[in-house]
Amino acid sequence: MRPQSEAELAGIIAGATGPFHVRGGGTRAIGRPVAGEVLETGGLSGITLYEPGALTLVVQAGTPLAEVEAALAAEGQRLAFEPMDFRGLLGTSGAPTIGGVVAANVSGPRRVQAGACRDFCLGVRFVDGTGQVIRNGGRVMKNVTGYDLVKLVAGSWGTLGVLTEVSLKVLPVPEAAACLMIDGLSDAAAVGVMAQALGSPFEITGAAHASSGVDGHPVTMLRIEGFAGSVDYRAGRLQEMFADHPVRVERDPDRIRAGWAWVRDVERMHDAAGDVWRISCKPSDAPALTARLEAGTLLYDWGGGLVWALMPEGTDARARLGAFDGHATLVRGSEASRAALPVFQPEPAALATLSAGLRARFDPRGLLNPGLMG
Amino acid sequence: MQMPDPNPDVIARKARIVARLQKVLASDAVIHDPAETRAYECDALTAYRCPPLAAVLPSSTQEVSEVLKICHQEGVPVVPRGAGTSLAGGALPTADCVILGVARMTEVLETDYANRFIRVQTGRTNLSVTGAVEEEDFFYAPDPSSQLACAIAGNIAMNSGGAHCLKYGVTTNNLMGVTMVLMDGTVVELGGAHLDAGGYDLLGLVCGSEGQLGVVTEATLRILRKPEGARPVLMAFDSNEVAGACVSDIIKAGVLPVAIEFMDRPCIEACEAFAKAGYPMCEALLIVEVEGSEDEIAEQLGLILQIARRHNPLELREAQDADEAGRIWLGRKSAFGAMGQINDYICLDGTIPVSELPYVLRRIAEMAEGYGLQVANVFHAGDGNMHPLILFDANGGELEKAEALGADILRLCVEVGGCLTGEHGVGIEKRDLMSDQYGAADLEAQMAVKDVFDPDWLLNPAKVFPLDASERRRSLALAAE
Ligand SMILES: Cc1cc2nc3c(=O)[nH]c(=O)nc-3n(C[C@H](O)[C@H](O)[C@H](O)COP(=O)(O)OP(=O)(O)OC[C@H]3O[C@@H](n4cnc5c(N)ncnc54)[C@H](O)[C@@H]3O)c2cc1C
């Protein structure tokens, strides 16, 4: 099914008798496999409103992300939360949609400084599991009028409603960028370096460490962005800060872009066999946690707060991690792994009750991506 | 302002309820003598008052849980309270309620500079959170003007903002985790020292829920390293339109000032009379502040001043030193005090798309004239968060007229694509206007969330939603007792 309007979508859901597998571009195929008729959002496409001077964009949910990014680029603006492209990691094809980005709350390396996708969502329209159209938030930068369902829906993977329109805050593309690289650090030393940089006044917009970089050796990357003079100044100050290490500085914008896309899209693990786990944790806990994991390959983003781990198929990473401040998601796993292990971290009982309660209210018949989040 | 009739059955059981509360709390933590409960009869929306049945001041999450269990069993409504600075009547009691104040819970539980967070009990004031990390040159970014007094508890409940939110975001963008007690006494942890939710973003849902989903007792807050320096520049224009266009051009140019504050003529005049900051007399003033090292400041201000000059400013005043910077902010910071000197006032905080600023300011002036009242505007222009201050004489019986003008202004904000409240919250003040912004289904979806967290509608029940919209739920809860 591919409704062409919000009203048509609402009608389809209201009159439905069986479950749906809600799909934007179909590129972010994570979660438990969903049995249901495919319900595509691609028919709901187009930019509704774009005011560069107010940094606001209102766009229909099925609009291809590429179209959104092109429109912003034409005005020298961008989605500051730097959404990851899942295609390479998951081996999916198709065109990611903006609704899919929001439904999965997809954020990239800049999350550590600028905020997550959910922080840039100003408003949503969605159709809930009863076929009711619901609006929340709006298109202004500050809004505390009633409950923030925008944040609830962002990251709910289509299980509470099908997004039809989102309003986003966008930001200007800075004039210049630089990437500082330190080679050969241990994971623990790298997390220390990243903490020091992130705790400086120099506004780091990316802090990542690959235990094996493009050339197979460890590399730690720090990004700064802004006006050219300011980037020069901060790059200098950071080099002084890490004078004990040989620091390479990359200033070529294309190479910087490619390097951070490599981190953002977890390229290191694209063609490697095995399951891929995504671990969100307290940054300084990361080295000890990963030591317990015994993973093949590791990529640390967000200063260590986000860890990507490549594990032998079927390994229960959570069993190895034990209890910790954070959660682990099985982002890429064979059908067998995903059937055997919960994809999303099981919640403590009280939270699971609240989540189930919300699902029962927004989708009482269990029609929308049933079982996807567990 | 209508409030639901108190439940006579609860009032009749006051002695028993108080006795049960006294069993789980220190003796001085249960306040029930009418002479003393009066201290909790209102928040900063002082036009509305009602002493509660009792007030309790627990010292720990465990005690909060005990209190809520008792109130849950007894069917007593609970109104959570931080410092009572809400401008929306969010902490206004009813005669049958227990005020649950977190004012005694002010501890810093953990500071972690490597991971850039602080964990505090929520009764701690906003400014003293920064105070706890200042020694290491860190700060907590959200800075409501009330920051000396207001508590993190209220900041979370209202999702409060401040002048510097243009760059750093509001409370929800700086909140990493909470410990919260549900109405039945269950303690839950949402979020923590990590950056995103593993399942639904319940933390994002709780922030801004005005004390209706649970009582927040502890919070993990993001702290940031202080910038190397900051400097404001003052710009004077001869019309609101031009000042508005200048704001838009600055934002578009890719500079991200930490603050862009806007004051109109009535506000400038009042502030000048009160604080003598030396402001030029004009139609509109902007204060734009940028941060960084000396060179970075110069680079950004250079660009901003270049943009401003294209709009024929009457005056551009760059702070040469700390003293001058202080004077530039002085007038703005004393705006509320200045207004309070002249008159009683209502402070609204509707938010509009920045492009609508000139139109909305013109319409506000016309509407005010229609009511025969004066409105001064001072606001966070970068994000369109207006603060029209409606001046009136309470003793002269002008409150109702001022409220009617306020409602008209807020409807105007909604009409042009904005919202009723950008940072103060709905409370009772904007409760009955919610239907102007949201349709029945939109409100129903929000109330469904409350059903999940607080099925008996005992937590702060008469706020946020129009009374007629929430009536069925509130009376079902009563009947179920
Ligand atoms: C002069 C002045 C200037 C102001 N400036 C600003 C400003 O710049 N920006 C801004 O955003 N606001 C501003 N405010 C409004 C107010 O200060 C904020 O809303 C503040 O966050 C309220 O905090 P509080 O601790 O005083 O909360 P209270 O007034 O005690 O309560 C506010 C709400 O929070 C709920 N609540 C309290 N504690 C808890 C808890 N533990 N768990 C769950 N819910 C709870 C209450 O039930 C109520 O609904 C200003 C107010 C004044 C008087």
Side-chain angles (χ1 to χ4, degrees), chain A residues 177-243:
Chain A
C179 180
L180 282 72
M181 284 167 291
I182 303 176
D183 296 309
L185 295 179
S186 70
D187 293 1
V191 169
V193 160
M194 293 191 286
Q196 213 185 326
L198 288 164
S200 76
F202 306 125
E203 292 195 4
I204 305 294
T205 69
H209 171 74
S211 58
S212 97
V214 182
D215 62 2
H217 298 293
V219 61
T220 309
M221 302 160 63
L222 301 171
R223 179 175 61 188
I224 41 183
E225 299 170 288
F227 288 109
S230 163
V231 168
D232 288 341
Y233 167 77
R234 287 182 281 152
R237 290 296 302 273
L238 285 162
Q239 271 174 290
E240 282 165 26
M241 217 167 124
F242 299 115

Side-chain angles (χ1 to χ4, degrees), chain B residues 186-268:
Chain B
T186 309
V187 179
V188 295
E189 299 285 340
L190 306 176
H194 55 283
L195 280 179
D196 60 4
Y200 294 149
D201 187 356
L202 301 182
L203 180 66
L205 187 60
V206 162
C207 189
S209 63
E210 305 205 10
Q212 293 197 307
L213 302 185
V215 176
V216 177
T217 56
E218 296 173 15
T220 305
L221 307 169
R222 180 170 80 134
I223 51 171
L224 298 169
R225 180 66 184 269
K226 277 196 179 150
E228 291 179 283
R231 194 181 310 150
V233 51
L234 187 76
M235 307 172 174
F237 296 95
D238 60 8
S239 85
N240 290 333
E241 274 85 353
V242 178
C246 183
V247 170
S248 185
D249 284 355
I250 291 172
I251 290 173
K252 231 167 107 175
V255 211
L256 191 62
V258 275
I260 306 182
E261 298 289 298
F262 191 122
M263 297 165 76
D264 72 356
R265 180 182 276 277
C267 183
I268 299 164

Side-chain angles (χ1 to χ4, degrees), chain A residues 205-291:
Chain A
T205 69
H209 171 74
S211 58
S212 97
V214 182
D215 62 2
H217 298 293
V219 61
T220 309
M221 302 160 63
L222 301 171
R223 179 175 61 188
I224 41 183
E225 299 170 288
F227 288 109
S230 163
V231 168
D232 288 341
Y233 167 77
R234 287 182 281 152
R237 290 296 302 273
L238 285 162
Q239 271 174 290
E240 282 165 26
M241 217 167 124
F242 299 115
D244 295 350
H245 303 280
V247 179
R248 291 182 286 136
V249 182
E250 179 62 66
R251 293 300 300 259
D252 176 59
D254 291 330
R255 293 178 61 100
I256 293 172
R257 201 172 307 121
W260 284 96
W262 185 86
V263 172
R264 183 194 67 198
D265 299 341
V266 202
E267 280 181 33
R268 192 81 188 83
M269 300 177 193
H270 282 192
D271 301 315
D275 293 347
V276 174
W277 288 80
R278 178 188 185 278
I279 297 149
S280 182
C281 62
K282 179 159 86 179
S284 64
D285 286 350
L289 287 171
T290 54

Side-chain angles (χ1 to χ4, degrees), chain B residues 80-86 90 144-146 151 153-155 157 160-161 210-211 214 216 423 460:
Chain B
R81 181 179 169 106
T85 69
S86 169
S145 318
S146 51
N155 290 179
S160 302
E210 305 205 10
V216 177
E423 55 181 21
N460 220 2

